Amino acid sequence: MLSYLAATLPARTSAAARLLALQCALRSTVAGEVNIPAGLIRAMRLSSEPSAFTELEAAGWLRSPTRPTQRAGFSVELLDTAVRMQAPARADRARAANWILRTCQMSEIRQLGTSPRLLALALTAHLPDEMGAPASAEQETLARMCGLPPHELIPLLDILAATRFLRSWTHGAVPEDLHWELARHNHFTDNYPGLESDRVTSHTGRAEGPGAE
């Protein structure tokens, strides 16, 4: 879904709008209807980003008669009909949406701005299945997912390393390739109770993020 949104949203769409679009796309019905509870807005720390909704509306990606607030949820209709045809299926999308929420609630990144949190999601969505195997991606691919020029990733990677979300990162043999290692790989198979959810996340089952990438 990150890849799809990178292709369909305007290139300079903000990180906050991309995070909101991720949740809308992954939580929509087959008819494109989405109910976003207030708890989700708070948990994703988007309540201070009123422009996120406006950006997506101006881009013709969604519409709604209401605006998101800290105290009330809102409903939207996705105008991008193709987003509903993207893999994976709805059950896997719901699991990916909950995984995104858990990841954004990690102590290492929850106080950061939307850009480093979106990059953290993109980095984690690229993790290989094998425990301990190196993760890698092209710098341009990650930048496009985050709506940033490639050179702006480097300071964000340093921030994620400083907060110990990343154990390390480096350029590959080809400078355009990035390699990284997460500090807490096992987070993505653990359960994290106590998230502010308003019924937007479960506390059981494997926390997987295949739909995010």
Side-chain angles (χ1 to χ4, degrees):
M1 196 59 72
L2 279 167
S3 297
Y4 176 79
L5 292 176
T8 193
L9 292 175
R12 295 298 292 179
T13 300
S14 71
R18 290 176 187 274
L19 286 172
L20 180 58
L22 262 178
Q23 288 292 346
C24 288
L26 292 170
R27 295 176 184 276
S28 70
T29 67
V30 292
E33 298 171 347
V34 189
N35 293 315
I36 301 294
L40 177 61
I41 297 297
R42 293 193 298 268
M44 293 290 292
R45 302 183 70 82
L46 297 177
S47 57
S48 60
E49 301 281 354
S51 63
F53 179 93
T54 304
E55 277 189 73
L56 298 177
E57 193 173 44
W61 198 79
L62 56 71
R63 65 184 173 196
S64 172
T66 61
R67 293 291 185 273
T69 68
Q70 289 183 317
R71 296 188 177 185
F74 66 103
S75 298
V76 300
E77 176 188 356
L78 300 189
L79 301 179
D80 178 6
T81 57
V83 74
R84 305 197 293 271
M85 297 185 288
Q86 304 303 308
R90 189 179 180 193
D92 292 326
R93 291 187 187 207
R95 190 163 66 247
N98 289 336
W99 171 84
I100 288 170
L101 183 61
R102 291 187 179 98
T103 302
C104 285
Q105 286 284 304
M106 290 181 68
S107 59
E108 294 91 338
I109 63 173
R110 64 179 301 168
Q111 300 299 328
L112 298 179
T114 49
S115 289
R117 282 189 285 133
L118 179 58
L119 176 57
L121 289 174
L123 294 173
T124 310
H126 280 83
L127 284 180
D129 293 333
E130 301 81 9
M131 179 73 74
S136 63
E138 292 184 358
Q139 186 170 338
E140 183 177 350
T141 297
L142 293 172
R144 189 167 59 251
M145 287 182 172
C146 298
L148 296 169
H151 71 274
E152 291 187 14
L153 286 186
I154 304 307
L156 298 183
L157 288 166
D158 288 337
I159 289 173
L160 294 177
T163 63
R164 299 185 180 179
F165 180 82
L166 292 179
R167 179 172 286 117
S168 63
W169 74 270
T170 185
H171 289 284
V174 178
E176 291 76 17
D177 290 341
L178 294 174
H179 300 264
W180 64 90
E181 183 181 1
L182 297 191
R184 284 205 289 159
H185 191 290
N186 67 341
H187 160 76
F188 304 101
T189 57
D190 288 343
N191 297 322
Y192 280 73
L195 299 184
E196 182 179 12
S197 64
D198 282 8
R199 293 184 177 273
V200 296
T201 184
S202 65
H203 302 319
T204 60
R206 183 184 175 96
E208 300 178 4
E213 181 182 355

